[in-house]
Amino acid sequence: MRTTIDSYKDRAGRLDLQGIEFDDFKDQPLPAEALRSLKYMHDVEHHTVCYLRDLLLTPAHSDPAVTSFLSCWAFEEMWHGEAIGQVLEAHGEPAGAPRIAALRQKRRRKEAFSAFSTIASAAFAGRAFIALHMTWGAVNEWTTQAGYSRLAESAGHSTLKELLKRIMKQEGGHIDFYSSEAGRRLEDSVKAQRLTRFALKHFWRPVGAGVMPKEEVRFLVRYLFEGSKGQAIAERIDRRVDRLPGQGGLHLLDGAVSKLSRRNLAV
Ligand SMILES: [Fe+2]
Ligand SMILES: [Fe+2]
């Protein structure tokens, strides 16, 4: 059944942190790799609003269902960043406003280029751009949810596991909306299928790759998606992309993991 904006709006809300004891991390700190992963996730969750700024200048702003979704989505992602920030703070790491401000300061010029290129391509593509945006969002949300699942498993920390379970549930709501809209819009338009396939094939990179330093992207992809379990998850996401109209055989995740892994081995 198609996920409607009304069913998503009914479920959307601030992340429930009741019963999450952040002081647990002071008594039982996370392994270094898990903490490094959470810094990445904190920064990327908080970057959502910048991504939203670019999207609202595209044809996406003319569709009320899409803008309603984006309003709730950005709110939920912000609270994911805030919750992860509390984990970082419990480890004595900077989080929240000072960390985000420093990141945005570094990215100011790149941000202007990113906004310009999004707007220019959207103007060229027209409404087909919305199908691309929905598909891109679905791939990123599938990847994000899988990343949290892998982290919950590998960190071996019960408090983190519970927190990530709650975050993943909300990511599931994002997945439902994006993938449902992507399927419907791609089905309706061959132009949208071709545009989306071209953009994914040539420009898609793992979530956060446009924001985070290359060595952090490489670390995260290796930490979460290498090995037999990581590979199985990457293949599962690729099969989901295969099922979207006109998007078969792209192997986005598999390609990204092997590319970043090979580079790392060469370092
Ligand atoms: Fe999130
Ligand atoms: Fe999400």
Side-chain angles (χ1 to χ4, degrees):
M1 193 182 77
R2 192 185 147 209
T3 301
T4 64
I5 183 57
D6 290 335
S7 67
Y8 172 69
K9 277 194 299 191
D10 284 346
R11 295 195 308 270
R14 178 174 171 170
L15 185 69
D16 174 18
L17 296 179
Q18 193 151 29
I20 303 284
E21 296 294 341
F22 289 94
D23 282 347
D24 290 351
F25 295 104
K26 293 179 182 165
D27 303 330
Q28 193 197 340
L30 290 167
E33 292 91 347
L35 200 59
R36 187 173 172 183
S37 304
L38 285 172
K39 288 179 188 172
Y40 187 111
M41 290 157 169
H42 167 274
D43 294 352
V44 173
E45 293 281 12
H46 274 300
H47 189 72
T48 304
V49 71
C50 303
Y51 183 50
L52 176 64
R53 170 204 60 187
D54 298 352
L55 289 173
L56 289 177
L57 293 167
T58 75
H61 88 276
S62 63
D63 186 311
V66 170
T67 52
S68 293
F69 168 75
L70 292 175
S71 305
C72 300
W73 167 76
F75 179 81
E76 290 190 326
E77 303 293 26
M78 194 275 292
W79 286 109
H80 297 173
E82 291 288 306
I84 295 169
Q86 288 194 60
V87 180
L88 298 183
E89 280 167 351
H91 288 81
E93 297 283 348
R99 190 178 166 91
I100 302 160
L103 182 74
R104 293 205 186 140
Q105 185 66 25
K106 269 192 241 162
R107 285 200 39 87
R108 232 167 31 174
R109 289 176 70 185
K110 275 191 179 173
E111 282 290 302
F113 178 75
S114 154
F116 174 77
S117 53
T118 305
I119 295 157
S121 53
F124 171 75
R127 288 190 62 80
F129 184 87
I130 304 181
L132 162 61
H133 165 206
M134 294 292 116
T135 311
W136 195 286
V139 178
N140 283 358
E141 296 286 350
W142 281 326
T143 311
T144 301
Q145 194 189 53
Y148 281 132
S149 169
R150 289 285 294 140
L151 177 60
E153 193 184 346
S154 59
H157 194 292
S158 57
T159 307
L160 183 72
K161 194 172 182 179
E162 176 59 30
L163 174 63
L164 295 183
K165 189 176 96 179
R166 297 183 193 184
I167 292 178
M168 283 162 56
K169 191 174 175 202
Q170 291 197 322
E171 305 297 8
H174 306 165
I175 287 170
D176 290 345
F177 184 83
Y178 274 126
S179 62
S180 159
E181 286 292 310
R184 180 175 72 82
R185 290 168 188 272
L186 289 170
E187 191 70 59
D188 285 350
S189 163
V190 173
K191 180 186 173 185
Q193 289 180 26
R194 288 184 182 148
L195 172 80
T196 301
R197 186 178 183 84
F198 179 85
L200 289 177
K201 186 175 178 181
H202 295 284
F203 303 113
W204 186 84
R205 289 184 294 157
V207 183
V211 189
M212 302 302 290
K214 276 184 191 149
E215 63 271 22
E216 295 308 305
V217 180
R218 204 154 42 212
F219 160 76
L220 198 79
V221 167
R222 283 198 61 151
Y223 180 56
L224 298 178
F225 291 105
E226 275 197 341
S228 56
K229 281 188 182 172
Q231 192 183 341
I233 288 173
E235 286 170 2
R236 196 170 71 214
I237 296 171
D238 281 337
R239 284 197 297 275
R240 287 177 182 159
V241 178
D242 285 346
R243 287 198 285 271
L244 292 171
Q247 311 306 308
L250 284 168
H251 304 295
L252 298 176
L253 266 292
D254 189 43
V257 173
S258 56
K259 190 175 164 190
L260 289 164
S261 304
R262 264 201 308 274
R263 274 193 202 147
N264 205 340
L265 289 172
V267 168

